[in-house]
Amino acid sequence: DTFKDAAGNPLFVAFDQFHPVVTTKANFDDLLIPKDHISRSKSDTFYVDDEHVLRTQSTAHQSKILADGHNAVVWTADVYRKDEIDRYHYPVFHQTDAIRLWPKSELPQDPGKMAAFVVNDLKATLEGLARHLFGPREIRWDEAATFPFTDPSIELEVDFDDRWVECLGCGMIRPEILEDCGRGDMAGWAFGIGLER
């Protein structure tokens, strides 16, 4: 079972008590978001001051969670963006993130096979989640997606009223992020899903 360990205990630790104001380092720099990325602009992000923002993604807490030594975590937080309100967007919504790590020594040593193992586990986990959340709707993977913090990166899309809607981004956590958190001996995946979207 994807969500239980060999003894049948829950695999993932859950967190949901994070302060909404985070540093620009946690929200952008730790996630390798380029300095000129649109999400850093004052037209997209609510700045408290030059070094603090209302988090634009719950992924802003990922580096702290990694640095604390966790290997399987799911967390939820409200996020704030200066989005135009429409059927799929609202300036405040809930995002759930998760990470799952393995020691590199327990994975295939070939980089391509290691990435395939991690991504296949990620897809199996998220296909189960999608069935639980959306029922028997058709889903597909967009493997052309790119995110600064994962490589390879993918998006899960769901058929909603004959329209493909991107519902989450995910991928293999970039090794630079793991190294910066003191976890360079690990490899794993991450995802983030906007629950109301």
Side-chain angles (χ1 to χ4, degrees):
D1 184 29
T2 302
F3 301 101
K4 294 184 180 176
D5 65 17
N9 298 314
L11 178 65
F12 289 82
V13 176
F15 295 115
D16 66 357
Q17 298 295 319
F18 295 107
H19 197 279
V21 176
V22 298
T23 64
T24 53
K25 180 181 183 305
N27 201 73
F28 301 120
D29 300 332
D30 290 350
L31 300 173
L32 309 177
I33 296 173
K35 296 285 186 198
D36 61 349
H37 194 274
I38 187 69
S39 66
R40 289 181 180 255
S41 73
K42 292 190 177 181
S43 65
D44 279 32
T45 296
F46 294 99
Y47 277 79
V48 175
D49 59 37
D50 288 343
E51 296 181 4
H52 296 87
V53 297
L54 287 174
R55 68 179 157 244
T56 61
Q57 53 190 338
S58 57
T59 315
H61 302 289
Q62 176 179 280
S63 290
K64 172 79 167 87
I65 288 168
L66 288 168
D68 286 347
H70 296 286
N71 292 337
V73 181
V74 61
W75 67 98
T76 299
D78 47 336
V79 298
Y80 309 86
R81 297 181 186 171
K82 291 184 177 178
D83 282 348
E84 294 287 328
I85 297 172
D86 65 23
R87 186 174 180 183
Y88 301 103
H89 298 90
Y90 197 75
V92 180
F93 59 97
H94 295 90
Q95 184 174 323
T96 295
D97 277 44
I99 57 166
R100 173 105 191 261
L101 303 180
W102 294 267
K104 286 182 181 176
S105 62
E106 295 177 11
L107 298 174
Q109 294 306 295
D110 174 77
K113 290 180 181 177
M114 183 183 296
F117 173 88
V118 170
V119 169
N120 287 339
D121 185 85
L122 172 63
K123 285 181 174 181
T125 300
L126 293 176
E127 286 169 2
L129 178 64
R131 281 191 298 276
H132 178 77
L133 292 175
F134 306 115
R137 294 183 186 278
E138 189 175 350
I139 64 169
R140 71 180 183 187
W141 294 102
D142 176 3
E143 300 196 9
T146 59
F147 303 105
F149 34 84
T150 54
D151 184 35
S153 299
I154 49 180
E155 288 181 337
L156 177 66
E157 297 179 342
V158 176
D159 182 18
F160 187 76
D161 294 336
D162 295 322
R163 176 180 174 206
W164 288 105
V165 177
E166 180 265 319
C167 68
L168 64 84
C170 58
M172 187 168 175
I173 301 169
R174 292 187 67 93
E176 306 96 292
I177 291 174
L178 292 167
E179 289 165 12
D180 288 347
C181 295
R183 308 299 302 279
D185 60 334
M186 307 293 277
W189 53 251
F191 76 80
I193 180 172
L195 298 177
E196 290 90 354
R197 294 178 160 207

